[in-house]
Amino acid sequence: MSIATPPGGFDVVIVGSGISGSIIAYQLGKAGKKVLILEGGPPVPKSREAYLQTFFTANAKTPESPYPPVLQGAGSAGNPLGQPDPATLNTPRYTVLQIGAWQNPKQCYFVYGAQAAIAATDPQMTFAFGSSYERVAGGTTWHWLGTSLMHLPNDFQLKTKYGQGVDWPGGIAFYNQLLPYYRAASDVIGVSSDRDPMVDLYKTFNVQPSGVYGPNYDFPMPGIVMSLNDALYQQKVTSLKVDGIPLFVTPTPQGRNSRPGKRRQCAGNTNCIPICPIQAKYDGTVTLAEALQTGNVQIQYQTVASNIRLSGSQVSGIDYLTYDTQTGPVSGRGTAVGKRYILAAHAIETPKLLLMSNGNPGFPNGVANGSGQVGRNLMDHVMYLAWGLAKDPIYAFRGPLSTSGIEAARDGAFRSQRAAYRIEIGNEGWNWAANDPNTTLADFVFGQNNSQLNGNSVNAQGQKLRFDPNLPAFSQLYGSKLVQTLNGVYIRQLRLGYLIEQLPDPDNRVTLSTQYKDHLGLPRPQVTYRIREDYVRNAFVSAKQVSTQIFQALGATEYTMPPADAVLSGSGASSSTFRYQGQNFVFYGAGHIIGTYRMGSSAANSVLNARQQSWDHENLYMVGSGVFPTTATANPTLTIAALALQAADNVLKDLG
Amino acid sequence: MVFDYMDYFVSMSVGLTGFSSDAIAPQLDTIDIKSAYLAAFDENLPTGMAEQILERYKTLFVAGGSKPGSEEQIVGQMLGGSGTSAAQILAMRQLIFLWYAGAWPTVQSDGNSSTGGQTFSTVLSADSYTQGLVWRVMQSHPMGSTTYNYGYWASNPPPLSAYLENPV
């Protein structure tokens, strides 16, 4: 690929072609600015069928399963999943499969230290980070769910209002400035939502909907129809309160087409994660294509940024390495030069690049790191999962993965004591929760009980969990009895997911491994991750109680599997289990990597100012969820898009 | 594989899975997943075992008058140990799993564990994943490959019988 440097050079160099990088490239390209994007991964394939075939044949249908580099080869002793050694790959990334191998850097891209805690009750216990990302053109939106919610006003002033975490710079003022960008972001993504349910939701948070949307606003497309599953919750949860807050179901604004448009109408493939087969769901490649079509944006693929050069306090160029094949040698190197620089490589690779750039005189701790905050405050929505079996069929495994949620507990006075959460209602049965359909299938074919449906399991309420009390435990079925049993189970499966907000903890951080490198010779991320605060742990206790109440209200039987006691050492060390208030909890990643180059109101404790501009280097900007000071409870992508649009305006102002 | 037992493979599969022969081996079978499954059934077992199982099935089926509808009763006898070894019974169960999941299972039994062991599996092909009977027994479509249209998820699906009796 050859880059044609325009007369006068590039105005802007962007690292990363995900949703943030693509949005900024499009905005700047539309305004006539000359833009170069460096993308570490391969181009968008001519047809997504190639990625889809990889997904179909993958044994583990994880979020990363369709995308290069491949996750699994032939298994061997000590490496049953056949995971590739990250040292042999030019753009390795962290994957969900690696969580189980988190103590083994021959299989896991992130490098973790040994467990420091001596008991599972110790808040110092370290975990495997729960979430992953992609290094391909279009970025991680290839495997996002599509949920397009805004943060709530109080999310921007968590410290001022509740004494927790930090405020976003300017607090509530930041929210007000962001509102028009939220509306523009909904247009970019093409969000499907009806206005009325959102107005009803905001009223419960004492937010004036006219202030949110303006008097005449409506979403780009009508809301996605709710599932039969949603309807059951809608009827039953209104009898419940959490911390005095009445519960109700809200259809989720979603970044997928509810009618034909520039993209196809959602056909309910139940596969938004890992891959929408028909691109009914928005992803970064949509905006990337628009950016390239301006004629002012160029992109160089398989080009990994390796170092940021400074001249004085200004960025003067970004060094890069290129490769032809994933396991091949470095095929070239160069330096990209522009007037402004934007890092949009998501919340692990961006701080890694800043920290790697430690050879500039006067900046020994890396670029943009005068505060020492680069790589710190790594966060996710830590998820509590609960699952159950409905009394009557709700026909799981049909429709988009999620079409509704319970949003009422996303804010309230309780937030001075415990983290808020939103509750996502899953349409995919126990696919995530218990790896179904295969687990239940194997249980009834081979006489096992990993689903708890075919043995002597009893839940916390003392209910017997054997699906058919007329069958003996560990039944091995075939023929029509197998059909009846599997059908009876699958069409009743329920799943709830709690997106629990996490607080910024400076010791939760990405640093550079001094020992392990990728195939390009670049250091790999060393990650330390804890969930120390009672504030966050209290939300797990609440989520567990609320799930049980919801399933009881539904007349459903709860099957949430209580985790076994954590193992603290050895190769089988628990990755995600802790003990709190006498109960074991396991958390799951939400796929939301947040906080590692945060905005703030002071250069002393943040990497970026409210313009998403480096405090240390005036011509350097960063975008993506790494800029978030706190996680709040909304899935982050709409906010990421809104902030990217805002940053694009700021860069345009700078360029004049 | 040197023998030609497709008819009996289909018949036995009808009994094992609970699906009709129209679903297992449609008249117009463009994907022909049954051939891939017969090959996998043979290749993943010790030499000759697939043939022995099918011979046994054929013997019982013919002795019973080759009656359509008798398939489930015959595989019931075989799974109950009538002329079959423990290894052959496990192989027949692996074939059930293959039809449902489109993946060949490795079963790790553990009588000391509360779950009785674990099962791992390897997907044969993209077609085997999408042809898996699990999607049909749940009255739905393969995750990632639907032929339905927008909004279908707000309505009840067709009855289970429609999924058991018909080609995809």
Side-chain angles (χ1 to χ4, degrees):
Chain A
M1 278 161 286
S2 63
I3 292 297
T5 304
F10 287 104
D11 293 302
V12 175
V13 174
I14 301 174
V15 178
S17 70
I19 182 171
S20 294
S22 294
I23 283 176
I24 294 185
Y26 182 38
Q27 295 299 314
L28 297 177
K30 267 198 299 192
K33 304 302 178 190
K34 301 298 181 186
V35 178
L36 173 64
I37 305 176
L38 307 178
E39 168 54 52
V44 180
K46 290 186 179 69
S47 154
R48 60 180 52 210
E49 189 62 24
Y51 285 171
L52 204 55
Q53 290 292 316
T54 308
F55 160 75
F56 285 145
T57 52
N59 290 325
K61 310 291 194 204
T62 60
E64 314 83 19
S65 57
Y67 309 106
V70 292
L71 308 180
Q72 284 187 272
S76 61
N79 187 7
L81 301 177
Q83 300 196 71
D85 184 343
T88 66
L89 303 174
N90 287 329
T91 53
R93 82 292 201 203
Y94 190 58
T95 70
V96 169
L97 286 182
Q98 292 173 8
I99 291 173
W102 70 303
Q103 292 290 332
N104 184 351
K106 294 274 187 196
Q107 294 172 31
C108 183
Y109 174 56
F110 288 180
V111 179
Y112 292 99
Q115 180 60 263
I118 52 164
T121 51
D122 185 349
Q124 299 306 323
M125 192 168 181
T126 55
F127 305 107
F129 191 66
S131 291
S132 67
Y133 56 100
E134 302 299 342
R135 297 177 75 179
V136 296
T140 305
T141 44
W142 271 98
H143 79 224
W144 76 306
L145 176 59
T147 301
S148 299
L149 290 160
M150 301 192 305
H151 288 335
L152 300 169
N154 285 338
D155 292 334
F156 296 83
Q157 49 177 358
L158 199 62
K159 185 72 175 176
T160 300
K161 184 86 180 172
Y162 301 113
Q164 302 292 343
V166 294
D167 288 353
W168 291 47
I172 199 75
F174 193 96
Y175 166 77
N176 288 321
Q177 284 163 19
L178 198 59
L179 279 174
Y181 292 105
Y182 264 131
R183 292 192 287 268
S186 295
D187 290 341
V188 168
I189 291 172
V191 174
S192 293
S193 175
D194 294 323
R195 182 188 162 107
D196 288 353
M198 300 317 293
V199 168
D200 292 345
L201 175 67
Y202 287 118
K203 279 183 188 162
T204 70
F205 296 121
N206 295 316
V207 180
Q208 285 305 317
S210 62
V212 175
Y213 296 120
N216 299 316
Y217 180 83
D218 209 347
F219 289 89
M221 289 202 183
I224 301 267
V225 295
M226 293 168 85
S227 65
L228 294 174
N229 185 33
D230 296 333
L232 176 65
Y233 289 97
Q234 196 172 36
Q235 288 162 22
K236 302 292 185 183
V237 301
T238 48
S239 63
L240 299 175
K241 289 182 177 177
V242 174
D243 291 304
I245 301 168
L247 299 191
F248 60 97
V249 168
T250 300
T252 306
Q254 296 157 67
R256 59 177 65 83
N257 277 23
S258 61
R259 62 184 185 206
K262 286 182 195 165
R263 303 190 313 277
R264 291 169 66 184
Q265 189 178 31
C266 175
N269 272 282
T270 329
N271 211 61
C272 325
I273 302 169
I275 181 166
C276 176
I278 62 170
Q279 207 179 22
K281 181 191 72 181
Y282 173 87
D283 59 62
T285 70
V286 172
T287 305
L288 177 59
E290 289 174 321
L292 296 174
Q293 284 161 16
T294 63
N296 292 320
V297 177
Q298 296 181 62
I299 185 166
Q300 190 166 308
Y301 299 105
Q302 294 173 194
T303 299
V304 178
S306 57
N307 180 56
I308 300 170
R309 290 175 182 238
L310 299 179
S311 174
S313 68
Q314 297 288 298
V315 175
S316 56
I318 295 182
D319 296 336
Y320 58 79
L321 305 170
T322 64
Y323 62 92
D324 292 333
T325 64
Q326 185 56 232
T327 54
V330 171
S331 60
R333 51 188 80 223
T335 303
V337 176
K339 299 183 180 73
R340 297 289 183 283
Y341 298 85
I342 299 169
L343 306 184
H346 210 345
I348 300 293
E349 300 298 330
T350 293
K352 196 187 89 176
L353 173 59
L354 293 167
L355 294 171
M356 285 194 299
S357 307
N358 58 5
N360 293 295
F363 296 91
N365 299 321
V367 165
N369 200 17
S371 64
Q373 292 294 310
V374 168
R376 294 186 184 270
N377 309 301
L378 173 65
M379 292 176 277
D380 193 353
H381 290 122
V382 282
M383 288 197 73
Y384 177 82
L385 288 195
W387 58 105
L389 217 53
K391 197 166 54 183
D392 299 313
I394 44 84
Y395 299 105
F397 294 93
R398 290 165 62 87
L401 288 176
S402 176
T403 36
S404 290
I406 300 170
E407 314 291 341
R410 285 176 55 196
D411 190 29
F414 66 85
R415 243 170 149 184
S416 60
Q417 303 297 322
R418 71 150 172 91
Y421 48 71
R422 70 172 289 257
I423 311 174
E424 176 192 278
I425 298 172
N427 288 333
E428 87 304 6
W430 298 356
N431 180 255
W432 184 7
N435 194 29
D436 255 357
N438 280 13
T439 300
T440 294
L441 171 67
D443 280 357
F444 285 108
V445 172
F446 299 116
Q448 298 173 342
N449 187 37
N450 293 290
S451 64
Q452 308 183 90
L453 292 156
N454 191 29
N456 299 311
S457 309
V458 176
N459 71 11
Q461 293 76 52
Q463 294 169 301
K464 293 177 180 173
L465 298 181
R466 195 183 309 167
F467 176 68
D468 184 345
N470 298 316
L471 288 175
F474 301 100
S475 283
Q476 299 184 67
L477 307 179
Y478 64 95
S480 47
K481 191 67 189 171
L482 179 64
V483 164
Q484 288 165 21
T485 304
L486 291 178
N487 176 257
V489 170
Y490 292 141
I491 66 177
R492 288 177 170 80
Q493 290 186 341
L494 305 167
R495 190 273 292 170
L496 295 171
Y498 293 70
L499 284 76
I500 296 171
E501 67 174 340
Q502 191 170 11
L503 291 176
D505 176 342
D507 294 333
N508 283 353
R509 62 188 297 201
V510 180
T511 56
L512 303 178
S513 172
T514 54
Q515 194 179 350
Y516 294 97
K517 293 180 162 53
D518 64 23
H519 195 244
L520 295 175
L522 304 177
R524 281 161 42 193
Q526 170 110 19
V527 173
T528 304
Y529 187 62
R530 298 182 177 91
I531 303 171
R532 292 202 276 206
E533 304 86 356
D534 285 349
Y535 177 79
V536 181
R537 292 173 169 227
N538 287 339
F540 277 83
V541 176
S542 169
K544 185 176 178 184
Q545 288 170 350
V546 169
S547 299
T548 301
Q549 289 168 8
I550 290 175
F551 288 135
Q552 281 174 347
L554 262 54
T557 305
E558 184 167 10
Y559 279 76
T560 311
M561 189 99 73
D565 289 344
V567 176
L568 292 172
S569 59
S571 62
S574 304
S575 57
S576 342
T577 306
F578 63 93
R579 190 165 178 83
Y580 184 63
Q581 294 188 0
Q583 304 173 83
N584 289 341
F585 291 98
V586 62
F587 71 87
Y588 300 78
H592 304 160
I593 312 171
I594 295 172
T596 50
Y597 42 97
R598 68 181 180 184
M599 294 183 288
S601 51
S602 152
N605 61 18
S606 58
V607 178
L608 306 172
N609 63 26
R611 302 179 78 238
Q612 294 168 256
Q613 180 184 33
S614 163
W615 290 107
D616 300 346
H617 317 290
E618 195 189 16
N619 64 342
L620 177 64
Y621 285 77
M622 297 171 216
V623 290
S625 42
V627 311
F628 293 12
T630 56
T631 66
T633 55
N635 306 45
T637 300
L638 187 73
T639 304
I640 289 170
L643 288 168
L645 289 163
Q646 189 179 47
D649 275 359
N650 291 334
V651 172
L652 278 172
K653 260 178 226 150
D654 285 6
L655 288 168
Chain B
M1 189 159 39
V2 294
F3 63 101
D4 180 14
Y5 280 125
M6 181 55 85
D7 287 351
Y8 294 102
F9 179 73
V10 168
S11 178
M12 185 174 81
S13 296
V14 166
L16 289 171
T17 62
F19 280 67
S20 77
S21 60
D22 280 345
I24 296 288
Q27 294 280 320
L28 183 61
D29 198 355
T30 52
I31 295 172
D32 193 26
I33 204 69
K34 62 184 186 300
S35 293
Y37 288 174
L38 177 55
F41 185 52
D42 188 38
E43 287 159 14
N44 283 287
L45 297 176
T47 307
M49 185 185 281
E51 190 167 353
Q52 289 159 16
I53 292 169
L54 290 169
E55 283 282 9
R56 178 66 186 156
Y57 180 83
K58 179 182 174 184
T59 301
L60 292 173
F61 188 69
V62 172
S66 301
K67 288 181 192 149
S70 66
E71 298 92 347
E72 187 166 326
Q73 184 246 326
I74 291 167
V75 299
Q77 288 177 41
M78 293 174 70
L79 291 169
S82 168
T84 43
S85 67
Q88 289 172 334
I89 291 169
L90 174 62
M92 291 171 72
R93 296 203 165 279
Q94 287 174 302
L95 179 58
I96 299 176
F97 188 95
L98 176 61
W99 271 107
Y100 272 87
W104 185 260
T106 302
V107 185
Q108 294 181 351
S109 293
D110 180 358
N112 295 321
S113 129
S114 61
T115 63
Q118 286 181 292
T119 299
F120 304 92
S121 58
T122 304
V123 177
L124 259 57
S125 65
D127 280 345
S128 77
Y129 169 79
T130 56
Q131 294 296 304
L133 300 179
V134 281
W135 312 117
R136 301 169 71 173
V137 83
M138 63 174 63
Q139 294 168 262
S140 187
H141 56 80
M143 295 178 84
S145 179
T146 182
T147 55
Y148 301 141
N149 295 317
Y150 175 80
Y152 75 85
W153 53 88
S155 309
N156 286 353
L160 176 60
S161 57
Y163 293 86
L164 300 178
E165 291 166 9
N166 300 320
V168 172

